[in-house]
Amino acid sequence: MFAPVHTLSFGTPGAIAIAPGDVRGTVLIPERCGGYCCGLDGSDGPNLACARCGLAVATRIDDCSLWQAVWFAPDAVRGLPADASTGTTADWDAQGRPATPPIHPSGAWSAQWAAAVGAGLAHLLAASGGRPVALPDGLMTDLFGRLLDALLPSGTPAKAVVPAGPGLPARDPDDRIFLVPKNPRTGEPWRAPGIKQSIPLPFDMWRHLVAPDERLMLPATGGLPDGVIRDDPPPMRPWELFRPDRSVFLYTLARIPEVRQSWLREIYDRVNDRGYAHCF
């Protein structure tokens, strides 16, 4: 941690969290099954034991208003790759998933995008060094522009934000910040020679920013002559300004060493003290 936070986890570092339905070979420890009203809250300590040896190995949480999860104690279990032949090697050539649109059909911004941009904004500020940032026109400006205008000074020269990742040509790294994807399997950001300053985003969101596809997937009978544009409804547009997730922004920024610099610490304190800052 490189900046003050309101709370810190007192659990053992390195715990492994999985969905309760994926757990096998464990039994509940009856005397540790305390909870508030509708389930287990984990306040009594590890409440799952190995069915074979009886060792307490994990804590199940499934009470109301809490995320359902089983947290395995790192000193009782060890993680192994699901695919022993490849381990955790990133496989960027096998990503067939579609891009995640930032706007719901209702016209509301996606909460997933709000969280991802909140984390990305923290990395972008740290990479900027307190200098102005130049964004490409389009969705990138809609997502980050208003926040950067409020948090960074204006003027020139500005650091340019450019996309980088699988399938894109190499760029000159001089005085640039690269928008890179995270691997869906490992969570590791894309790395390439020369890239030192980057903004990591989930792969499907990065893909939408780099190569947006706003076509409507509707069946069409027959065909149209070349050059004729179909009379389809326009793509959805948001009905409010985009607001990144403030909590994710602060959570991420507090864990970046650059927040110790006075200018970035001032931004952290300003956003942290003003719970309803206009840009969030």
Side-chain angles (χ1 to χ4, degrees), residues 20 23-30 32-33 40 45-51 54-61 69-73 76:
V23 179
R24 301 291 185 272
T26 62
V27 294
L28 285 169
I29 304 175
R32 297 184 181 178
C33 290
L40 312 176
N47 52 27
L48 288 178
C50 174
L55 176 69
V57 294
T59 303
R60 174 170 178 145
I61 299 175
V70 171
W71 292 87
F72 281 95

Side-chain angles (χ1 to χ4, degrees), residues 168-211:
L168 296 182
R171 302 281 192 120
D172 183 2
D174 290 344
D175 212 24
R176 293 184 177 184
I177 304 172
F178 291 92
L179 181 72
V180 299
K182 294 180 181 179
N183 187 277
R185 285 186 51 210
T186 66
E188 293 296 323
W190 169 268
R191 301 187 185 280
I195 294 182
K196 298 180 180 179
Q197 298 176 326
S198 62
I199 315 166
L201 286 180
F203 183 88
D204 49 352
M205 299 179 187
W206 170 87
R207 182 174 169 183
H208 187 89
L209 286 172
V210 172

Side-chain angles (χ1 to χ4, degrees), residues 224-239:
L224 293 175
D226 293 338
V228 176
I229 301 176
R230 290 182 53 183
D231 189 18
D232 288 328
M236 290 296 301
R237 292 290 183 258
W239 46 265

Side-chain angles (χ1 to χ4, degrees), residues 5 10 64 82 151 167 252:
V5 295
F10 56 84
C64 61
L151 299 176
T252 306

Side-chain angles (χ1 to χ4, degrees), residues 100-113 236-239:
T100 299
I103 305 168
H104 290 297
S106 66
W109 289 99
S110 166
Q112 292 176 299
W113 276 79
M236 290 296 301
R237 292 290 183 258
W239 46 265

Side-chain angles (χ1 to χ4, degrees), residues 37-55:
C37 62
C38 297
L40 312 176
D41 61 8
S43 59
D44 295 327
N47 52 27
L48 288 178
C50 174
R52 297 182 61 183
C53 68
L55 176 69

Side-chain angles (χ1 to χ4, degrees), residues 1-277:
M1 303 299 297
F2 303 99
V5 295
H6 293 297
T7 58
L8 271 177
S9 170
F10 56 84
T12 305
I16 302 170
I18 69 173
D22 293 333
V23 179
R24 301 291 185 272
T26 62
V27 294
L28 285 169
I29 304 175
E31 60 270 21
R32 297 184 181 178
C33 290
Y36 182 65
C37 62
C38 297
L40 312 176
D41 61 8
S43 59
D44 295 327
N47 52 27
L48 288 178
C50 174
R52 297 182 61 183
C53 68
L55 176 69
V57 294
T59 303
R60 174 170 178 145
I61 299 175
D62 58 14
D63 207 344
C64 61
S65 77
L66 301 176
W67 287 102
Q68 295 191 13
V70 171
W71 292 87
F72 281 95
D75 55 352
V77 301
R78 61 192 179 97
L80 295 175
D83 185 352
S85 62
T86 60
T88 58
T89 302
D91 184 6
W92 294 100
D93 297 329
Q95 312 306 333
R97 64 179 61 192
T100 299
I103 305 168
H104 290 297
S106 66
W109 289 99
S110 166
Q112 292 176 299
W113 276 79
V117 173
L121 177 65
H123 289 284
L124 177 53
L125 288 175
S128 72
R131 289 174 48 188
V133 172
L135 298 171
D137 294 334
L139 185 57
M140 273 287 290
T141 299
D142 294 338
L143 298 176
F144 292 94
R146 193 166 59 94
L147 276 298
L148 294 177
D149 290 343
L151 299 176
L152 290 179
S154 59
T156 55
K159 286 190 174 183
V161 177
V162 295
L168 296 182
R171 302 281 192 120
D172 183 2
D174 290 344
D175 212 24
R176 293 184 177 184
I177 304 172
F178 291 92
L179 181 72
V180 299
K182 294 180 181 179
N183 187 277
R185 285 186 51 210
T186 66
E188 293 296 323
W190 169 268
R191 301 187 185 280
I195 294 182
K196 298 180 180 179
Q197 298 176 326
S198 62
I199 315 166
L201 286 180
F203 183 88
D204 49 352
M205 299 179 187
W206 170 87
R207 182 174 169 183
H208 187 89
L209 286 172
V210 172
D213 185 358
E214 296 183 335
R215 294 175 299 171
L216 296 178
M217 299 303 179
L218 299 176
T221 59
L224 293 175
D226 293 338
V228 176
I229 301 176
R230 290 182 53 183
D231 189 18
D232 288 328
M236 290 296 301
R237 292 290 183 258
W239 46 265
E240 64 178 353
L241 293 174
F242 177 78
R243 297 179 183 272
D245 191 296
R246 172 180 170 272
S247 298
V248 175
F249 169 75
L250 292 173
Y251 179 95
T252 306
L253 191 56
R255 289 159 175 79
I256 297 178
E258 286 82 358
V259 76
R260 288 179 170 176
Q261 300 176 18
S262 58
W263 69 271
L264 191 53
R265 175 61 186 275
E266 189 274 332
I267 291 177
Y268 176 86
D269 291 339
R270 189 196 327 164
V271 176
N272 196 25
D273 293 341
R274 296 179 59 189
Y276 296 96

